[in-house]
Amino acid sequence: MAPSPQSVSPGAFAVAVVGAGAAGLGAALALARDGVPTALVGRHAPVADGRTVALLDGSVRFLRALGAWDGIAPHASPLAELHIVDDTGSLFRPPPARFVATEIGLEAFGWNVESARLVESLRAQARATPNLTLFESDATGSRVGAETVDLTLADGTGLSARLAVGADGARSKLRQAAGLVPREWSYPQAAVTTILAHARPHRDISTEFHTREGPFTLVPLPGGRRSSLVWVMGEARAQTVAALDDAALARAVETRAHAMLGTMRIDGPRGLVPMRGLALPSPVAARLALIGEAAHVFPPIGAQGLNLGLRDAAALRDAVLEAVADGRDPGSRAALAGFARGRSRDARLRTLAVDTLNRSLLTDVLPVDALRGLGLLAMTTIAPLRRIVMREGVVPRLGAPSLMR
């Protein structure tokens, strides 16, 4: 338990988190559990689009520390193995790669759970957490003063805090109000997402086919015979596939998966996700820290997006508690400097990795194919390299937030 934060006046908070998605909820819970008077601003509006999130081991550690994991675990499936299959037709196609969590001392690399279920569980935890006040209304305005940031909500409520946390998504109003201009880009692709039931058991194995249109990924869900789908393809084709009826879509998925899980059936809602990216030079402005998709956006590849957002939340908690313990203003530039450096470095590395993989699949240039194939072959055959890559993918050791270690 951290030392008590600086006192706040009635109606004021040490921190106001704007955005009620998983990253915002994680940040609010992490701060409140250590005695920081925190406001969580935003409506609870999960979207049923068939999307799931693979919570990697570091994220599970974080959620367990928050006391939230017990409510999530019954709805999550372990990812004990990851299989990568080069299905590009390249001349340099390596054999399928197999990564096993027990090789690095873990029961699973992570756990896959439906996104809406995750948010609902975190929201229930937030309602029962001391030091956390929920305002179920959107923020419509903000004004930064010398010592506080003042927020105006859609229902007319006003509140102030020493620090505002922007967890309000890729079109963040707080980021825009602060004058932070992101670098944005898009890919000529979209991802079809849904939930599948299948005849054969998945055996807790996540399988990723690398195709010329992008990754096609099947990720286990509880029950042994259900999986989530993320199928990346050309944008026009994705729109066509997403419009298929359930039976036709199930047949298309079964064919693309080479029938590895047998007969398929659509067993949940579906979504069509644009492939785009967003990055910032720094996630910090005057009395503002940005986390999650307000600070960085990834294509749905490699389970990086939300896991990075939860690392943002855990790292912000460390920065605020350190400032409080030292009697410093948690909203000051000095208090947020270390957070800004660490999160910028982590986001840059993940952006580079995801962007490089995706673009390498879209080209049939032989040298690129050869490098990609050799890299996958090296990870398959060189055990020390494979273990390093697996550990780094699960939770980065350099600068890992305390609740993820």
Side-chain angles (χ1 to χ4, degrees):
M1 182 70 69
S4 297
Q6 300 172 26
S7 61
V8 293
S9 61
F13 298 87
V15 180
V17 179
V18 178
L25 283 159
L29 286 166
L31 292 163
R33 73 182 282 278
D34 281 306
V36 177
T38 303
L40 177 63
V41 177
R43 291 175 296 157
H44 177 43
V47 178
D49 61 1
R51 296 186 72 174
T52 66
V53 57
L55 296 165
L56 300 178
D57 183 70
S59 295
V60 172
R61 290 171 187 257
F62 177 53
L63 295 171
R64 188 175 285 120
L66 301 183
W69 181 243
D70 285 348
I72 298 167
H75 311 289
S77 179
L79 310 180
E81 295 188 24
L82 169 62
H83 295 181
I84 298 179
V85 180
D86 189 317
D87 206 14
T88 62
S90 167
L91 292 174
F92 298 97
R93 183 170 55 187
R98 178 171 175 258
F99 302 92
V100 183
T102 54
E103 188 176 354
I104 55 172
L106 297 176
E107 174 189 359
F109 292 117
W111 299 74
N112 194 38
V113 63
E114 293 183 47
S115 299
R117 177 79 70 173
L118 170 65
V119 172
E120 287 166 3
S121 297
L122 291 173
R123 191 75 176 189
Q125 180 79 8
R127 290 193 177 101
T129 297
N131 302 308
L132 181 55
T133 304
L134 276 61
F135 294 86
E136 302 204 25
S137 179
D138 293 333
T140 56
S142 62
R143 183 179 63 82
V144 177
E147 296 186 351
T148 62
V149 55
D150 300 319
L151 300 175
T152 303
L153 310 190
D155 63 5
T157 302
L159 60 94
S160 62
R162 307 300 293 274
L163 171 67
V165 178
D168 50 342
R171 296 177 177 84
S172 170
K173 291 182 178 179
L174 287 183
R175 185 186 66 218
Q176 183 177 2
L180 295 175
V181 180
R183 179 173 66 92
E184 298 183 71
W185 63 97
S186 61
Y187 301 90
Q189 301 159 289
V192 176
T193 61
T194 193
I195 307 296
L196 304 162
H198 38 79
R200 297 175 188 160
H202 53 57
R203 296 179 291 125
D204 298 334
I205 297 171
S206 179
T207 304
E208 182 170 295
F209 293 87
H210 288 175
T211 80
R212 280 296 179 210
E213 291 187 293
F216 169 93
T217 309
L218 297 169
V219 191
L221 283 171
R225 295 177 187 268
R226 295 178 75 239
S227 296
S228 60
L229 168 73
V230 180
W231 186 357
V232 178
M233 64 191 87
E235 192 170 11
R237 182 165 178 247
Q239 293 173 352
T240 299
V241 170
L244 294 174
D245 63 38
D246 283 356
L249 177 58
R251 287 194 299 271
V253 173
E254 184 180 334
T255 300
R256 178 72 273 179
H258 302 286
M260 60 172 287
L261 293 176
T263 304
M264 297 281 191
R265 175 172 58 83
I266 304 303
D267 196 38
R270 64 176 76 177
L272 183 63
V273 183
M275 296 281 284
R276 64 181 191 272
L278 180 150
L280 283 169
S282 172
V284 167
R287 298 205 171 274
L288 174 66
L290 299 173
I291 66 172
E293 291 198 339
H296 42 71
V297 173
F298 293 89
I301 295 174
Q304 292 303 312
L306 180 57
N307 286 284
L308 185 61
L310 292 177
R311 285 203 297 279
D312 294 342
L316 181 66
R317 173 258 184 196
D318 288 352
V320 169
L321 292 188
E322 182 180 348
V324 164
D326 294 342
R328 293 181 290 133
D329 179 355
S332 68
R333 292 274 193 173
L336 297 172
F339 167 83
R341 287 193 301 271
R343 303 320 306 143
S344 294
R345 179 176 60 243
D346 196 1
R348 282 196 303 270
L349 290 173
R350 303 293 152 172
T351 298
L352 177 62
V354 170
D355 185 72
T356 300
L357 170 61
N358 190 45
R359 292 187 189 279
S360 74
L361 294 173
L362 296 177
T363 179
D364 57 1
V365 176
L366 289 181
V368 175
D369 274 351
L371 286 173
R372 188 184 65 251
L374 287 171
L376 195 56
L377 184 62
M379 286 189 288
T380 303
T381 57
I382 304 172
L385 174 63
R386 182 172 63 251
R387 287 191 286 271
I388 289 171
V389 171
M390 286 191 291
R391 289 192 187 101
E392 180 65 19
V394 170
V395 60
R397 292 193 170 189
L398 180 63
S402 59
L403 294 184
M404 289 188 168
R405 294 174 192 156

